[in-house]
Amino acid sequence: MTEPSKYLFNHSMLRVKDPKASIKFYEFLGMKKIDQLDFPDNKFSVYFLAYDDQNSASTGAHWTGRQGVLELTHNHGSENDPSFKITNGNSDPGKGFGHVCVAVDNIQAACTRLEDAGYKFQKKLSDGRMRHIAFALDPDEYWVEIIGQNDSEKTKEVKETDTGSYRFNHTMIRVKDAEKSLKFYQETMGMTLIRTNENPDNKFNLYFLGYPAGSPPTQAHREGLLELTWNYGTEKDPEFKYHDGNAEPQGFGHIAISVDDLDKACARFEEKGVSWKKKLTDGRMKNVAFVLDPDGYWVEVIQNERLKRTSNW
């Protein structure tokens, strides 16, 4: 048997042009590089980053046994190619993936710290009507939403921020048909719908899903959430399609679920009638599988090595 309540929303993968610049940015946000895998024959490397301070959610854990991990994939040499550019998922023809989100203790102080360091913003706290969220831009111009763990009205005068308290809160992807996507992530992937934000005036809804995560005081203190954004009416358009990030132009790659028993979990997914990008038996890598969600986004499935040791990584 496999138990979906033991699954984790392990990581989200982004392709990057220059890993040194990207790692520097995310380390400035308080993340630490917890592992690195190099594939010289295939000319790429992957870097796993996560919050790993004393007060972090999964301090010291193996990268497969965590939620809130960011995987950065670097194709060797792209940093020296002036024509190489990542698509951030927020404009056509590459629209699909939206952003990653970091929850901080004191949002005004955290944003000031980023701005003082010279990092750019897609949206500052002072922009627009929503004064409680901001969007920073990483070196590849991926959007990094900044939200507060504490009431922004109560942190206006606070000048300090502790990156050790930050959390990699969620990853957002746009979906064509909310009903189909919610069914997939709940019934097939075993997630729970935690919160729904309905915005009829602006004709979109947000759905936040995740796996059990103890008892964090608020949603903003959690890691490993998936945000689905649905714009009304897209499900009725037979020609409408979101970009999965893996066809050109490339950027976002996949989200990943770590499971209690990889073979049994994949057997369960097979029984659920999923569409596969890669089965465990395909290719040389027998320790990873990729399921396709209703929009064609790739969902990697890996073994939680804290529960069952199967791979030497």
Side-chain angles (χ1 to χ4, degrees):
M1 290 290 291
T2 179
E3 180 49 64
S5 65
K6 295 181 180 179
Y7 295 1
L8 301 175
F9 179 7
N10 177 246
H11 71 258
S12 299
M13 186 276 264
L14 303 177
R15 295 176 178 87
V16 299
K17 177 172 182 170
D18 185 342
K20 290 182 179 179
S22 296
I23 290 171
K24 180 180 179 182
F25 171 82
Y26 287 104
E27 286 183 339
F28 188 79
L29 274 175
M31 290 186 175
K32 295 181 180 179
K33 188 177 76 171
I34 58 172
D35 210 342
Q36 175 178 339
L37 301 176
D38 297 307
F39 301 89
D41 292 343
N42 298 307
K43 298 181 180 180
F44 76 94
S45 297
V46 294
Y47 305 86
F48 295 96
L49 293 93
Y51 287 102
D52 201 47
D53 285 305
Q54 182 177 354
N55 297 319
S56 299
S58 303
T59 306
H62 189 272
W63 68 267
T64 63
R66 298 168 175 257
Q67 302 201 103
V69 176
L70 181 65
E71 176 188 345
L72 303 179
T73 294
H74 170 234
N75 292 304
H76 298 169
S78 60
E79 70 277 20
N80 299 318
D81 181 354
S83 66
F84 184 89
K85 186 170 177 13
I86 294 292
T87 185
N88 69 10
N90 289 297
S91 61
D92 289 322
K95 196 170 186 177
F97 165 77
H99 61 259
V100 294
C101 174
V102 173
V104 303
D105 52 356
N106 305 313
I107 191 167
Q108 292 88 353
C111 288
T112 296
R113 178 175 174 270
L114 277 166
E115 193 168 359
D116 289 348
Y119 289 113
K120 298 178 181 178
F121 282 77
Q122 176 68 26
K123 177 199 176 300
K124 296 182 179 181
L125 279 178
S126 56
D127 296 339
R129 292 179 298 174
M130 300 183 71
R131 302 301 177 93
H132 61 288
I133 62 171
F135 284 89
L137 293 174
D138 87 348
D140 288 289
E141 297 190 346
Y142 289 115
W143 295 12
V144 181
E145 185 178 15
I146 310 295
I147 63 173
Q149 297 169 358
N150 301 306
D151 186 343
S152 60
E153 290 297 316
K154 297 179 180 178
T155 59
K156 284 182 177 180
E157 305 304 320
V158 179
K159 304 301 182 185
E160 301 297 322
T161 183
D162 175 15
T163 59
S165 68
Y166 292 9
R167 297 287 186 268
F168 179 7
N169 182 251
H170 70 257
T171 297
M172 186 276 267
I173 55 175
R174 298 174 178 90
V175 299
K176 175 177 179 175
D177 188 321
E179 185 177 342
K180 289 182 179 179
S181 294
L182 287 169
K183 181 177 180 181
F184 172 82
Y185 282 105
Q186 290 179 98
E187 296 183 11
T188 302
M189 305 311 295
M191 290 184 174
T192 298
L193 179 62
I194 295 167
R195 182 163 66 93
T196 300
N197 289 353
E198 297 184 350
N199 297 273
D201 291 343
N202 296 307
K203 298 182 179 181
F204 73 90
N205 289 355
L206 309 177
Y207 306 93
F208 293 87
L209 301 102
Y211 294 109
S215 303
T218 69
Q219 182 176 316
H221 287 82
R222 291 189 58 148
E223 290 194 311
L225 295 179
L226 178 65
E227 176 187 352
L228 305 180
T229 295
W230 169 56
N231 292 295
Y232 298 178
T234 53
E235 76 283 5
K236 299 175 183 177
D237 182 353
E239 302 300 319
F240 188 89
K241 190 178 188 319
Y242 281 120
H243 184 66
D244 65 11
N246 292 300
E248 295 293 344
Q250 290 187 326
F252 165 78
H254 61 260
I255 60 172
I257 309 301
S258 66
V259 299
D260 54 347
D261 189 299
L262 183 57
D263 292 318
K264 293 177 180 177
C266 286
R268 175 180 171 274
F269 295 144
E270 182 73 21
E271 291 172 359
K272 293 283 187 180
V274 302
S275 297
W276 295 95
K277 179 65 182 177
K278 177 196 177 299
K279 294 186 177 183
L280 282 178
T281 53
D282 295 340
R284 291 182 298 172
M285 296 185 71
K286 308 297 185 183
N287 53 358
V288 298
F290 284 90
V291 174
L292 295 175
D293 88 346
D295 287 280
Y297 292 116
W298 297 14
V299 181
E300 185 178 18
V301 186
I302 58 175
Q303 175 66 47
N304 181 342
E305 298 290 333
R306 294 180 72 183
L307 300 180
K308 182 180 179 182
R309 194 71 178 170
T310 62
S311 299
N312 186 28
W313 56 12

